[in-house]
Amino acid sequence: MARYSIWSLARNALSHHQHWPRQWRSPEPKRHYDVIIVGGGGHGLATAYYLAKEHDITNVAVLEKGWLGGGNTGRNTTIVRSNYLWDESAALYELSLKLWEGLSKDLNYNVMLSQRGVLNLAHSLGDVRAGRRRAEANRLNGIDSVWLEPAGVKKIVSIINTSSTLRYPILGSTWQPRGGVARHDAVAWGYARAADARGVDIIQNCEVTGLCRDTAGRITGVETTRGPIAAGKVGIVAAGHTSVLAAMADIRLPIQSHPLQALVSEPIKRVLDCVVMSGAIHVYVSQSDKGELVIGAGIDGYNSYAQRGSFHVLEHQTAALVELFPIFARLRMMRTWGGIVDTCPDASPILSRTPVPGLYINGGWGTGGFKATPGSGFVFAHTIARDEPHPVNAPFSLDRFVTGALIDEHGAAAVAH
Ligand SMILES: Cc1cc2nc3c(=O)[nH]c(=O)nc-3n(C[C@H](O)[C@H](O)[C@H](O)COP(=O)(O)OP(=O)(O)OC[C@H]3O[C@@H](n4cnc5c(N)ncnc54)[C@H](O)[C@@H]3O)c2cc1C
């Protein structure tokens, strides 16, 4: 793999950028792989990369029914943070944030991590109590979270409306300075390029239509739109389609798939240099490097596999945005889009072996899995390679829906990001 550097940039500038090599190969599927990963989003590609890098398992294929990152990875609003409440979640999301901090260097690919800070606003006494509790719990877990009074919020975001006459006035906020945003496409492409360089086959336009098992019930491979492919182990990393894939092995998951949408405004000069989120009035916003406001809110209330949402959700979140930022009232919106998110009852993911030997599931990230991409890939690769969970993902196994040891992160997951 040719390394990206100032020298390769200069060399290619001299030849008018005509000779950059392809970032990854496009091989025909082999007949057999040690591991098949179903789903070429960030989590699937990261899993393949860490299988090769950390466990020396390189006879791996990532099968993607569309194009790389065309699922939620390329559709999300790119917020990265680790300020979750419970110890189990803090360990997982903080592992991810630490990996994010070295990711561009590790992958030799600029994932444009911008640690501009994340505010989670409080608008009621209940919010204030939950926010303070979460900030303290975060600090006990070594996470850089603090509680701010309204004046502290105003100091960070001068254009925000902190008036006490608001219908839902700002009563304070948590603040994580190391949170921020990263470039979603670059994350998929960076992992794909680095995995390919280690021998992983990345196969696009290849939909998995069935899971094959032997008479003892063990996974033996997959059926695809490009024919059957044998495999020793299969990892399902298919986000909104997690339960569809699991059903192919007769596994019924406690997951519901919902549309989640977002929108961007026309580009404007830089006015907002951190991420602002409100779980109570239900909107969040950041400003992209192109100057557009990137705006999101909650899931649509019904189940669907359509990658689009309803108008009233957009109407609600823009009303909430204007209440917080009257300065944005006359902005025009340019684009909206939607993804399909797989939500678990406790708003925490599933990273687990399954009752079917050789079959593993990484899903249920719902509205907030982008931030976990590196850590999720890292621990899921461990789970597949060793056939046992990494200590960080052990609490996120399927068993918890039987034992009742749920990890309720509805508060931290809050406004769907
Ligand atoms: C609008 C929106 C905003 C969001 N904002 C944030 C945010 O700000 N921060 C955050 O942390 N998270 C956010 N999320 C959630 C985040 O995007 C996801 O949790 C995360 O990207 C999931 O990554 P993934 O790799 O598991 O899934 P995906 O990127 O969806 O990848 C799964 C892949 O599996 C493929 N697939 C499905 N079925 C098959 C099959 N049968 N055969 C082969 N391939 C198959 C799909 O085509 C897809 O490419 C947001 C999501 C949306 C929709």
Side-chain angles (χ1 to χ4, degrees), residues 38-44 63-67 69-80 206-208 237-241 245 248 260-262 284 337-341 365-372 416-417:
V38 185
H43 289 235
L63 307 182
E64 165 54 50
K65 72 173 175 180
W67 66 94
N72 291 344
T73 298
R75 293 164 189 267
N76 74 78
T77 44
T78 76
I79 297 169
V80 169
C206 180
E207 180 170 354
V208 171
V237 198
H241 287 84
L245 267 298
M248 293 177 190
L260 175 65
Q261 52 185 330
Y284 63 87
W337 66 90
I340 313 160
V341 295
W365 290 96
T367 61
F370 177 69
K371 63 180 74 65
H417 49 273

Side-chain angles (χ1 to χ4, degrees), residues 203-242:
I203 300 163
Q204 301 180 71
N205 298 313
C206 180
E207 180 170 354
V208 171
T209 52
L211 298 173
C212 312
R213 286 181 281 169
D214 63 17
T215 46
R218 193 185 165 81
I219 279 288
T220 56
V222 295
E223 297 285 350
T224 79
T225 45
R226 293 172 69 170
I229 308 176
K233 295 178 177 178
V234 173
I236 297 174
V237 198
H241 287 84
T242 311

Side-chain angles (χ1 to χ4, degrees), residues 33 134 187 212 228 348 355:
Y33 290 95
R134 192 142 58 83
V187 175
C212 312
S348 285

Side-chain angles (χ1 to χ4, degrees), residues 37 43-53 57 60-62 195 200 202 377 381:
I37 301 295
H43 289 235
L45 293 162
T47 305
Y49 170 68
Y50 293 117
L51 274 171
K53 182 182 175 215
I57 301 176
V60 176
V62 177
V200 171
I202 291 163

